[in-house]
């Protein structure tokens, strides 16, 4: 039989004093109906051998009517079925815009520049860098969401940088009547150097032709300390609708047949070699792997492999 505990006056007073605190801890704080907006990180940093790689989220937006962009050559029923299996809505999609910063130890190299200077500079600063620190800017292709951050009016965003891009890409766009190219790229032509398939950006950074999305679209292989990673830009613009179904037509692919062939070739390579890749429009942090899945491919998001 246990003895009944005695409650002293001091204990009673202490208990009473604690009641308001206990009540505040036990009840959730009232938010008065205020809901915070969508929150996404500005950057993610990881290592590839001796390189430090940072993906930069410079913008994200919801776009209505995704089948007006992806799967243009399949019927609505097929698009809906594939989307449902992937737990995706068919009326809207979330777009991501993700330049990549590579610190080789001797240079800071920025791959693509986003939609406008403000978003890209803000993401760089969140990651601990400034636009003035960039040594090289590499443009994978000339679509506006990749070159938009190069200039603000007549002012260079990356005033201390050298510029590099594919020769085929530059030559093709220089013959087009394109306002964005004329405003953002043409003023920098004298500061640019040009690459072909297999061209070198820096030691351990090699260009690879991946034509189709645009006439001279390029991707880049990083190699350092026994590790590799591909910066793949826009060869596949959605992790289901264009990666898992590489033959589905994409509105922004300028040569749709060539783009589909390029997708299959690169996806086969990524799956066979087990290479991680960065896709400019993949869900942020835009880093993942590819696996073969029937007639198509599966996207495996990065978890922690490159943090180790």
């Amino acid at each position: 039989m246990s003895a009944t505990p005695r409650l002293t006056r001091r204990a009673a007073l202490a208990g009473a004093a604690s009641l308001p605190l206990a009540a505040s801890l036990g009840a959730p704080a009232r938010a008065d109906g205020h809901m915070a907006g969508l929150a996404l990180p500005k950057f993610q940093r990881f290592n590839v051998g001796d390189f430090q790689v940072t993906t930069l989220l410079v913008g994200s937006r919801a776009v209505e009517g995704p089948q007006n962009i992806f799967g243009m050559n399949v019927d609505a029923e097929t698009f809906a079925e594939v989307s449902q299996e992937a737990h995706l809505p068919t009326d809207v999609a979330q777009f991501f815009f993700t330049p990549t910063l590579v610190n080789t130890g001797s240079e800071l190299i920025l791959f693509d520049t986003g939609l406008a200077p403000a978003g890209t500079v803000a993401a760089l600063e969140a990651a601990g860098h400034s636009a003035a620190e960039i040594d090289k800017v590499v443009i994978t292709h000339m679509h506006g969401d990749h070159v938009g951050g190069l200039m603000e009016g007549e002012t260079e965003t990356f005033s201390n940088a050298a510029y590099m891009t594919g020769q085929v890409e530059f030559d093709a766009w220089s013959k087009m009547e394109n306002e964005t190219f004329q405003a953002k790229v043409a003023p920098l032509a004298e500061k640019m150097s040009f690459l072909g398939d297999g061209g070198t950006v820096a030691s351990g950074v090699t260009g690879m032709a991946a034509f189709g999305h645009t006439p001279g679209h390029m991707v880049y292989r990083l190699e350092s300390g026994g590790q590799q990673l591909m910066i793949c830009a826009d060869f596949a613009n959605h992790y289901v609708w264009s990666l898992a179904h590489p033959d589905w037509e994409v509105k922004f692919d300028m040569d749709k047949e060539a783009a589909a062939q390029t997708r299959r070739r690169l996806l086969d390579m990524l799956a066979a070699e087990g290479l991680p890749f960065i896709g400019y429009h993949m869900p942020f942090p835009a880093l993942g792997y590819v696996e073969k899945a029937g007639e198509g491919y599966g996207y495996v998001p990065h978890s922690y492999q490159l943090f180790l």
Side-chain angles (χ1 to χ4, degrees):
M1 186 174 70
S2 61
T4 302
R6 295 180 61 193
L7 184 64
T8 66
R9 182 172 181 274
R10 178 178 295 178
L13 289 174
S18 70
L19 286 175
L21 177 61
S24 67
L25 291 174
R30 295 180 61 85
D32 296 325
H34 174 71
M35 300 290 285
L38 181 69
L40 290 167
K42 291 285 188 183
F43 71 96
Q44 185 172 101
R45 183 176 292 122
F46 52 91
N47 295 323
V48 176
D50 296 324
F51 292 172
Q52 192 172 77
V53 180
T54 306
T55 57
L56 303 165
L57 184 62
V58 302
S60 182
R61 63 171 180 250
V63 177
E64 295 183 353
Q67 202 183 356
N68 295 324
I69 301 171
F70 301 100
M72 299 172 66
N73 57 333
V74 301
D75 58 71
E77 183 178 355
T78 299
F79 186 83
E81 182 180 347
V82 166
S83 300
Q84 184 176 13
E85 289 176 354
H87 308 286
L88 292 170
T90 57
D91 59 336
V92 65
Q94 190 74 26
F95 277 37
F96 304 86
F97 303 87
T98 313
T100 299
L101 182 67
V102 177
N103 186 344
T104 68
S106 58
E107 291 183 306
L108 280 175
I109 306 172
L110 180 65
F111 290 82
D112 292 328
T113 68
L115 301 102
T120 303
V121 171
L124 276 170
E125 290 178 348
H129 297 285
S130 69
E133 294 175 349
I134 303 302
D135 296 298
K136 288 179 181 174
V137 174
V138 179
I139 300 299
T140 63
H141 64 291
M142 304 293 179
H143 278 157
D145 56 327
H146 295 255
V147 302
L150 283 170
M151 303 277 290
E152 186 69 72
E154 297 182 358
T155 303
E156 289 181 52
T157 307
F158 309 100
S159 56
N160 296 320
Y163 301 93
M164 305 184 79
T165 193
Q167 183 75 66
V168 173
E169 182 75 354
F170 183 89
D171 290 348
W173 284 84
S174 65
K175 297 171 185 176
M176 302 179 198
E177 295 181 2
N178 182 272
E179 291 183 5
T180 299
F181 176 84
Q182 294 301 326
K184 301 285 188 174
V185 181
L188 303 174
E190 292 186 0
K191 297 181 68 174
M192 286 189 173
S193 56
F194 301 99
L195 299 165
D197 188 30
T200 299
V201 172
S203 179
V205 185
T206 306
M208 180 185 299
F211 302 165
H213 180 66
T214 59
H217 181 275
M218 299 279 285
V219 299
Y220 293 87
R221 183 190 292 258
L222 307 183
E223 298 183 72
S224 175
Q227 291 186 293
Q228 298 185 45
L229 175 137
M230 295 291 297
I231 299 174
C232 285
D234 283 16
F235 90 105
N237 282 346
H238 191 275
Y239 74 106
V240 174
W241 297 324
S242 59
L243 189 153
H245 298 274
D247 297 324
W248 282 16
E249 290 184 356
V250 180
K251 177 181 179 179
F252 301 116
D253 288 344
M254 296 172 71
D255 184 332
K256 292 175 174 48
E257 182 178 351
Q261 292 172 355
T262 292
R263 268 193 292 280
R264 284 201 172 273
R265 174 172 58 85
L266 289 181
L267 291 167
D268 278 341
M269 181 193 74
L270 291 170
E273 298 185 31
L275 295 177
F277 80 102
I278 296 169
Y280 192 83
H281 297 293
M282 295 293 136
F284 195 76
L287 176 64
Y289 298 82
V290 174
E291 61 183 10
K292 202 79 173 69
E295 294 299 315
Y297 305 84
Y299 180 65
V300 182
H302 174 266
S303 55
Y304 59 77
Q305 296 91 335
L306 297 178
F307 297 159
L308 301 176

